[in-house]
Amino acid sequence: MTQSLAFWVENSSENAFNTLGLELHFNYWHLPDDKINYLDIGVLISGKNKCFDSINVYLPFKYNIKSYIPTLGDKVVESEKLISAVFNNDVSNIKPIRECSAKYIVFSEQKDSEGIVFFTNLSHGTSEGRVLIEEHSEDDEVGTIIKFSNKIFNCSEEYKEKNWYLRFRYILEKEDIDNISREYKSKDSLITYYFEKSEVVDFRVNESRNLPKTIREKVATCREINKVHFFLIRNESSEFKIGHTTYDRCRILEDKLWDSYLCYNKDTQVKTKMLIYHWKTKSEKNIEYFSAFARFMTRKVGLKEVMFVILCILVLGTISSLLATVLTNIIT
């Protein structure tokens, strides 16, 4: 059954001047041939007066501390090309902020005062200033809660009013993938069963009816989300069939550029030719929920499929020969 992710802000103070806003970025990398199944999540935190205790993420995935990858931001800021690719904008200047393990990034056509602070120190733990990761179990539903405390963003006054950004990865296991996408094989024909498969992607954020009760209560009052971007990356041979709405954009993803971003071995390259589909919210204020639905068809003709066809031909040929022999004997 499809489950929903959730985002909400916890804030113990009632500040009438709180201008906190969140823009959410999701990259779902589904490349089975390269054994790459990742969900990358980026959060752009805006507002001159950012008043919050923690920013919280609920993932409908089984708790696995090894699936949380806190070093994704480090990978991105190592390369100007990767930064430009992630933000779809050319980099003008990068300045390290040593007191809070961050980089101040200014893009082209921006003033120096309009850059973003990219926080990369997202290591997990129970001490102050660490990302807290907990298992959430409720009514036979098991998920994971990730809390980003305001202590993580402990930068100097110079950067308090800038836009902040964080990015992390969660590696998806088979049961995790089933919560956001499902594969089906055609049962109409014995032949097409081996050659075609259909996949339905149903990605949801803050969809109340697909959340546990306690999480549903937390997101009910969340009004800080201003925009959502969902990027789906697939094999270019996968054919888009239908969607709940037309995607905003689709293009071929650059070769080699993303190897260092996706692979943990420097000598490894992504063999799959990739297409990226982009959905986004139309509104830019008070997003209550987000969903993206799409169906894809994949036709695969590999060695296994070719051998199956040859076997079918041989079997049919043998049966035909036997029938011909029997009929000849009957006639004569």
Side-chain angles (χ1 to χ4, degrees):
M1 180 181 175
T2 300
Q3 300 294 324
S4 175
L5 284 74
F7 271 79
W8 71 95
V9 175
E10 290 183 356
N11 188 8
S12 57
S13 65
E14 297 183 4
N15 190 332
F17 301 101
N18 189 10
T19 57
L20 179 69
L22 302 180
E23 181 175 310
L24 308 180
H25 304 161
F26 300 97
N27 289 59
Y28 176 28
W29 303 84
H30 186 46
L31 308 168
D33 292 343
D34 285 287
K35 297 181 179 179
I36 292 175
N37 291 291
Y38 305 152
L39 181 63
D40 297 345
I41 299 177
V43 184
L44 181 67
I45 307 166
S46 61
K48 291 187 176 182
N49 189 15
K50 305 177 188 70
C51 188
F52 66 94
D53 295 330
S54 65
I55 294 171
N56 308 276
V57 187
Y58 170 77
L59 303 176
F61 311 139
K62 188 176 179 180
Y63 174 82
N64 184 353
I65 202 69
K66 293 182 179 179
S67 291
Y68 172 74
I69 309 298
T71 55
L72 186 62
D74 290 316
K75 274 180 174 281
V76 174
V77 298
E78 282 176 359
S79 165
E80 283 194 18
K81 288 184 177 180
L82 265 180
I83 296 173
S84 298
V86 167
F87 291 97
N88 196 29
N89 205 340
D90 293 330
V91 176
S92 173
N93 187 31
I94 303 176
K95 176 184 175 182
I97 309 173
R98 291 182 175 83
E99 70 265 20
C100 58
S101 300
K103 297 284 181 70
Y104 183 65
I105 302 171
V106 180
F107 296 102
S108 61
E109 300 180 1
Q110 277 187 331
K111 298 177 182 178
D112 288 343
S113 59
E114 297 174 342
I116 66 167
V117 181
F118 196 134
F119 291 88
T120 58
N121 185 17
L122 303 179
S123 54
H124 61 84
T126 56
S127 60
E128 190 178 79
R130 299 283 186 176
V131 177
L132 181 62
I133 305 177
E134 301 174 321
E135 182 179 25
H136 182 84
S137 181
E138 181 180 350
D139 297 333
D140 297 326
E141 295 183 21
V142 178
T144 302
I145 294 178
I146 305 176
K147 288 177 171 284
F148 297 92
S149 165
N150 60 3
K151 303 295 183 184
I152 295 172
F153 310 98
N154 188 25
C155 54
S156 62
E157 289 297 325
E158 180 184 358
Y159 301 105
K160 292 287 186 183
E161 295 185 357
K162 309 296 184 187
N163 287 345
W164 299 343
Y165 190 77
L166 63 88
R167 193 175 184 90
F168 68 95
R169 169 173 294 160
Y170 205 85
I171 298 175
L172 304 177
E173 302 294 337
K174 175 64 173 64
E175 60 249 48
D176 301 329
I177 297 172
D178 288 343
N179 283 326
I180 53 179
S181 63
R182 294 284 182 93
E183 287 187 357
Y184 304 90
K185 286 191 174 182
S186 172
K187 296 181 180 179
D188 298 332
S189 166
L190 179 65
I191 299 297
T192 58
Y193 177 83
Y194 286 92
F195 287 90
E196 291 183 350
K197 66 178 180 181
S198 176
E199 182 180 358
V200 172
V201 178
D202 193 358
F203 187 83
R204 306 180 184 188
V205 181
N206 286 7
E207 187 76 67
S208 295
R209 60 185 174 181
N210 300 109
L211 290 170
K213 184 175 183 295
T214 56
I215 304 298
R216 189 163 62 241
E217 291 171 350
K218 292 178 183 295
V219 304
T221 57
C222 180
R223 297 293 181 269
E224 289 85 4
I225 300 174
N226 294 329
K227 198 161 191 177
V228 179
H229 293 269
F230 175 59
F231 300 91
L232 175 61
I233 303 94
R234 304 179 56 86
N235 190 314
E236 69 174 0
S237 63
S238 181
E239 181 183 357
F240 176 81
K241 303 298 286 186
I242 59 172
H244 78 296
T245 184
T246 306
Y247 49 79
D248 188 67
R249 189 184 179 196
C250 176
R251 64 183 178 87
I252 297 174
L253 215 54
E254 302 86 348
D255 291 335
K256 297 183 180 180
L257 172 63
W258 296 95
D259 288 344
S260 61
Y261 180 82
L262 294 171
C263 303
Y264 292 94
N265 186 334
K266 291 184 178 180
D267 298 325
T268 306
Q269 292 183 339
V270 179
K271 298 176 183 177
T272 303
K273 301 297 183 182
M274 299 175 285
L275 282 179
I276 182 169
Y277 298 84
H278 178 201
W279 284 267
K280 65 181 180 181
T281 51
K282 306 299 182 185
S283 173
E284 296 191 7
K285 192 175 182 181
N286 297 337
I287 305 298
E288 294 185 12
Y289 65 90
F290 171 83
S291 65
F293 174 88
R295 182 181 178 185
F296 295 86
M297 182 71 73
T298 303
R299 294 179 178 86
K300 184 178 181 180
V301 183
L303 179 61
K304 180 181 176 181
E305 289 75 22
V306 171
M307 294 302 295
F308 173 75
V309 171
I310 293 173
L311 179 62
C312 287
I313 293 172
L314 290 174
V315 170
L316 290 172
T318 302
I319 293 173
S320 299
S321 179
L322 290 172
L323 286 174
T325 302
V326 170
L327 289 172
T328 301
N329 291 335
I330 292 173
I331 293 170
T332 57

